[in-house]
Amino acid sequence: MKLKNVENKQRKNPVVTVKQGKLKGAVKKCLDGSPYYSFKGIRYGQPPVGELKFKAPLPVKPWEGIRDAIEHGPVCPQYNLDFIDFVEGSDDCLSLNVYTKSLQPSSKIPVMVYIHGGAFLTGSGNAETFGPEYFLQHDIIVVTMNYRLEALGFLCLDTPEVPGNAGMKDQVLALRWVKENITMFGGDSDNITIFGESGGAASVTFHMLSPMSQGLFNKSIAQSGSCLSCWAIAHKPVERAFRSAKALGMITKDVNELLEYLRSVPAHELTRLAFKTRTQDEKLRGLTMYCTPTIEKKFEGQEQFLTEDPIDLLLAGKVSNVPLLIGHNSAEGIFMVNDHIKRLEIFNKDPSYMVPRDLAITVSKEKLDEFGQRIKQFYFGGKDVTKDDTQAIADFQTDLNFMYQIHRFLHLFQSTAPVFLYNFDYETDLNVVKNVIGLDNVKGACHADDLFYLFHSKKSWKIVEDNDRLKKIVYQITKFWADFAKTGNPTPTKGGIEWRPYTSATKEYLLLSQDMKLSNNLNKERVEFWDKMYADAGKPCIAVSSL
């Protein structure tokens, strides 16, 4: 009887011993009512405050006794784009969450580590948005994380004190913690998949290139993002750091004085600097994403996350040789349509502002103007755009910010491991972002719509709960992802659809929609349009990989 009471107590208050100490979690219920173990707010790094502010994180120190892992840790201070409001959070935000159905080290359950998106300036790994229940039904361990955002995570001064990429190094430290400890949660430390969406997908592809991340994961899933997008990598970050101080009321030309001042600024006041530090050109060109990963200078005695241009690393084959599942939503750009319409007068008068930054900063004014006219002709028939051209605007913004650079990464990715490409085109009540925006006349799935098919949340579950058709769709998509995490193949068993690997010869992809099917040459004409533009600008492009 006593032994049974001990077992019941353990189920109510599960305790796990990791390398750093003991953690007490909680028991939650899966969709079928069976139990799973939840460990939230696990600290993986020391508080990056004071002298550690803006620096690479340090591993958490061991502790005595039992730490509660019941509630989420603080989120990073941020300006929440969904609620258009500040979230104070805390700069002491380096925590992660683990969800598992077994605590037996012998279980060796495949592990999926999710890196949240949010433009590197907003978001968290909290279960309110990224609940694990859909994946747990496939016997997967799910890990989510918080990391430093905006200036706290991506300030760069090109100095040994602040070389940049602190937020990416947070992610690396979290992955190291998972590699070291996940066995105690029933996980297989030799079968870890990293996956992310938007900025999280860019992060995933950065980890595939970074020497700091090698050996920490075995497979990758990149949804709606790539490290090749101009929004994913910082442009003149030191100049932005000085503009940040000026925006906060302090003018200096001394980098040491700058650092001392920024360290003194409360963490929540360092939010929204991406907006406050825009140049005139940036106000008219591209997404407002500027506090992002950067190419670091090398300093003796330090680990660098990224010291070469991602394109150069890809061309040199300096990339993780792991299976990759990559793709995008069919109408990512829906969320940019209304913003584009607000700037119609500018774009119609000077189409060169539709040219992406990475091309705009390298070509002549004459070539820039020519590129702008090409875009206007290809997407809008050479005519001035009106507020009724929503489908064409959505297609343009999709290709500009997401589609082409995902294909470009895919084509330049030199690996012997299998690659699987998808196009997410479901249109149901679960397309929460699209439905909120209200552009029903635009065909396709909007940016971030796929997340509601992958993660359980109170808001989305109300839509799914009594809808058997949506339940089947959610189950199928999460099964693709989970089977890929388990085996490196999203369709390892016979009997259903076979998702065949992408090759440069066949260019096959899976259309994820009500009419699911295998096809090839996704967005062929649109890819070729951008490829010619990059080739004409003297940039490495898709054609390079097929020579």
Side-chain angles (χ1 to χ4, degrees):
M1 182 64 70
K2 288 184 178 180
L3 181 60
K4 188 174 182 179
N5 288 338
V6 170
E7 289 176 350
N8 288 336
K9 185 177 180 181
Q10 175 68 8
R11 286 174 183 167
K12 291 180 181 178
N13 299 290
V15 175
V16 166
T17 302
V18 296
K19 298 285 186 181
Q20 297 80 15
K22 295 181 182 294
L23 295 163
K24 182 172 73 174
V27 178
K28 304 287 185 179
K29 287 186 177 180
C30 293
L31 298 178
D32 62 3
S34 62
Y36 75 88
Y37 302 102
S38 167
F39 292 81
K40 297 177 178 176
I42 303 171
R43 188 187 294 276
Y44 66 84
Q46 295 179 33
V49 299
E51 292 297 311
L52 298 180
K53 198 171 186 176
F54 309 122
K55 285 191 172 185
L58 297 176
V60 65
K61 294 179 180 178
W63 62 84
E64 299 293 331
I66 300 175
R67 280 190 176 178
D68 278 350
I70 310 296
E71 304 293 338
H72 287 299
V75 303
C76 183
Q78 59 191 265
Y79 186 77
N80 189 292
L81 298 177
D82 294 329
F83 302 105
I84 316 299
D85 197 8
F86 290 99
V87 178
E88 186 167 347
S90 170
D91 42 3
D92 182 11
C93 62
L94 303 187
S95 64
L96 54 79
N97 315 292
V98 179
Y99 309 102
T100 178
K101 293 172 71 174
S102 172
L103 295 177
Q104 298 299 320
S106 59
S107 296
K108 290 193 173 298
I109 303 170
V111 182
M112 298 184 72
V113 182
Y114 184 71
I115 304 172
H116 73 81
F120 297 104
L121 57 82
T122 187
S124 74
N126 288 4
E128 288 79 10
T129 304
F130 301 112
E133 286 82 358
Y134 295 161
F135 282 109
L136 290 176
Q137 61 188 333
H138 302 294
D139 296 322
I140 288 288
I141 289 178
V142 177
V143 180
T144 63
M145 68 174 77
N146 292 349
Y147 55 93
R148 280 174 287 176
L149 304 169
E150 208 171 350
L152 286 170
F154 297 96
L155 182 75
C156 174
L157 302 181
D158 279 348
T159 64
E161 291 75 21
V162 188
N165 291 329
M168 299 307 299
K169 294 167 186 175
D170 292 345
Q171 295 178 16
V172 170
L173 186 60
L175 291 174
R176 287 174 176 172
W177 189 97
V178 171
K179 182 75 172 177
E180 183 178 52
N181 290 301
I182 203 63
T183 300
M184 304 310 296
F185 297 87
D188 185 349
S189 62
D190 292 322
N191 194 0
I192 296 171
T193 298
I194 57 173
F195 70 128
E197 183 268 347
S198 193
S203 295
V204 166
T205 53
F206 275 124
H207 286 298
M208 294 176 70
L209 300 173
S210 173
M212 289 183 68
S213 310
Q214 302 312 297
L216 298 179
F217 59 93
N218 308 94
K219 305 173 191 72
S220 299
I221 301 175
Q223 304 167 216
S224 305
S226 159
C227 61
L228 300 186
S229 293
C230 56
W231 53 256
I233 196 146
H235 175 61
K236 297 183 178 179
V238 179
E239 290 183 16
R240 191 171 306 279
F242 279 99
R243 291 204 303 275
S244 296
K246 184 178 180 180
L248 293 167
M250 195 270 195
I251 299 176
T252 181
K253 293 183 180 181
D254 183 89
V255 70
N256 295 317
E257 188 177 18
L258 173 67
L259 175 57
E260 184 179 358
Y261 170 73
L262 291 176
R263 278 179 176 163
S264 72
V265 175
H268 69 275
E269 293 184 20
L270 294 170
T271 61
R272 217 163 185 262
L273 288 174
F275 294 86
K276 296 175 182 177
T277 59
R278 288 177 296 173
T279 65
Q280 189 58 38
D281 186 81
E282 288 170 347
K283 291 177 182 178
L284 302 174
R285 190 187 309 280
L287 299 176
T288 308
M289 295 175 64
Y290 310 116
C291 297
T292 55
T294 187
I295 300 171
E296 296 176 55
K297 285 188 174 181
K298 295 182 179 181
F299 296 105
E300 190 174 347
Q302 290 190 11
E303 283 188 292
Q304 282 85 35
F305 180 79
L306 186 73
T307 59
E308 297 179 60
D309 190 299
I311 279 285
D312 294 334
L313 291 170
L314 283 169
L315 291 173
K318 297 178 180 178
V319 59
S320 296
N321 190 34
V322 299
L324 171 66
L325 193 157
I326 190 169
H328 54 82
N329 297 353
S330 55
E332 303 270 4
I334 288 175
F335 85 107
M336 287 293 295
V337 167
N338 290 330
D339 185 65
H340 188 107
I341 288 173
K342 290 176 184 177
R343 297 186 284 176
L344 276 184
E345 185 178 349
I346 295 168
F347 291 145
N348 285 334
K349 182 180 179 180
D350 189 351
S352 70
Y353 281 114
M354 293 191 287
V355 178
R357 186 187 67 203
D358 56 336
L359 297 185
I361 61 176
T362 58
V363 299
S364 67
K365 178 66 169 64
E366 183 180 33
K367 180 66 77 172
L368 182 61
D369 290 338
E370 180 200 331
F371 283 177
Q373 292 297 334
R374 281 198 212 177
I375 291 170
K376 188 173 183 179
Q377 181 64 43
F378 183 80
Y379 288 95
F380 309 108
K383 300 177 182 178
D384 278 358
V385 187
T386 73
K387 60 182 178 59
D388 296 322
D389 294 319
T390 50
Q391 186 72 55
I393 294 171
D395 289 344
F396 163 65
Q397 292 289 351
T398 296
D399 300 351
L400 174 72
N401 293 304
F402 302 100
M403 187 277 293
Y404 176 67
Q405 297 299 349
I406 290 169
H407 284 257
R408 193 173 174 220
F409 182 94
L410 172 67
H411 279 266
L412 299 177
F413 176 50
Q414 300 181 39
S415 171
T416 58
V419 177
F420 299 88
L421 175 65
Y422 72 87
N423 185 30
F424 185 94
D425 192 40
Y426 277 104
E427 294 184 72
T428 76
D429 290 342
L430 262 185
N431 291 56
V432 173
V433 181
K434 180 179 181 179
N435 294 339
V436 167
I437 293 172
L439 291 173
D440 296 332
N441 60 322
V442 181
K443 296 178 181 179
C446 180
H447 188 62
D449 274 345
D450 53 325
L451 295 178
F452 299 93
Y453 295 77
L454 292 169
F455 292 101
H456 180 277
S457 69
K458 290 180 180 178
K459 185 174 183 179
S460 63
W461 180 242
K462 290 178 181 178
I463 301 171
V464 177
E465 191 171 12
D466 299 318
N467 190 315
D468 289 339
R469 183 175 71 92
L470 287 181
K471 282 184 180 178
K472 289 179 180 178
I473 293 172
V474 165
Y475 185 87
Q476 181 60 77
I477 294 173
T478 51
K479 188 176 190 302
F480 283 145
W481 264 232
D483 281 343
F484 176 80
K486 292 175 182 178
T487 68
N489 181 349
T491 54
T493 56
K494 296 182 179 179
I497 192 167
E498 181 187 1
W499 188 344
R500 291 194 287 272
Y502 176 98
T503 69
S504 59
T506 62
K507 296 182 172 62
E508 288 185 297
Y509 72 95
L510 185 64
L511 177 67
L512 296 172
S513 73
Q514 281 89 338
D515 302 315
M516 191 179 299
K517 62 181 179 180
L518 202 66
S519 189
N520 58 10
N521 285 308
L522 176 58
N523 294 330
K524 182 176 185 293
E525 291 182 359
R526 289 153 67 175
V527 171
E528 289 176 347
F529 169 80
W530 285 99
D531 207 47
K532 186 175 189 319
M533 191 174 292
Y534 272 75
D536 289 349
K539 298 282 188 180
C541 56
I542 290 171
V544 171
S545 66
S546 58
L547 292 177

